[in-house]
Amino acid sequence: MKEQRVLTSCLSEFVGEQVFVKGRVISIREVGAVRFMDILDRSGRVQILLGDNCVAPDLQSIISCRGIVKSSSKALSGLEIHSSEICEIAAPQSH
């Protein structure tokens, strides 16, 4: 059975649940030992907390992410995804 993609604008309906999202990586940052990235899809953006076993993709890559939706007062949208799996779908094009 194919897993259903969730748009970032609908994530508030899935707090505490595992979701599958896709989007373009628009920022990557580290705060102490914690790594984050933001992705943008056609409906908005979401912050993703990278799990210990997740490798951060290149900026502007198209990725899919599987993880648990959590409330976060520090995230721009008030939500973040705690990732368990990141997969690069397309690498950024060089000019």
Side-chain angles (χ1 to χ4, degrees):
M1 185 168 110
K2 188 174 178 179
E3 189 168 22
Q4 181 75 26
R5 174 186 177 186
V6 175
L7 294 175
T8 59
S9 62
C10 299
L11 288 173
S12 62
E13 300 170 29
F14 296 93
V15 174
E17 297 181 39
Q18 181 168 287
V19 294
F20 178 69
V21 295
K22 292 181 181 179
R24 180 177 302 276
V25 178
I26 58 172
S27 72
I28 301 170
R29 62 198 175 284
E30 290 186 25
V31 180
V34 182
R35 297 173 303 146
F36 298 94
M37 69 179 176
D38 291 329
I39 66 165
L40 182 67
D41 70 9
R42 67 178 182 244
S43 71
R45 71 189 282 173
V46 67
Q47 175 173 286
I48 296 175
L49 184 140
L50 295 169
D52 293 336
N53 61 340
C54 293
V55 175
D58 292 331
L59 199 58
Q60 297 298 316
S61 294
I62 306 297
I63 60 110
S64 64
C65 171
R66 182 175 287 107
I68 305 292
V69 179
K70 304 273 187 170
S71 294
S72 171
S73 60
K74 295 182 180 180
L76 186 63
S77 67
L79 298 169
E80 66 185 13
I81 297 174
H82 291 215
S83 66
S84 59
E85 182 182 342
I86 302 282
C87 179
E88 186 176 65
I89 297 169
Q93 294 181 2
S94 55
H95 297 279

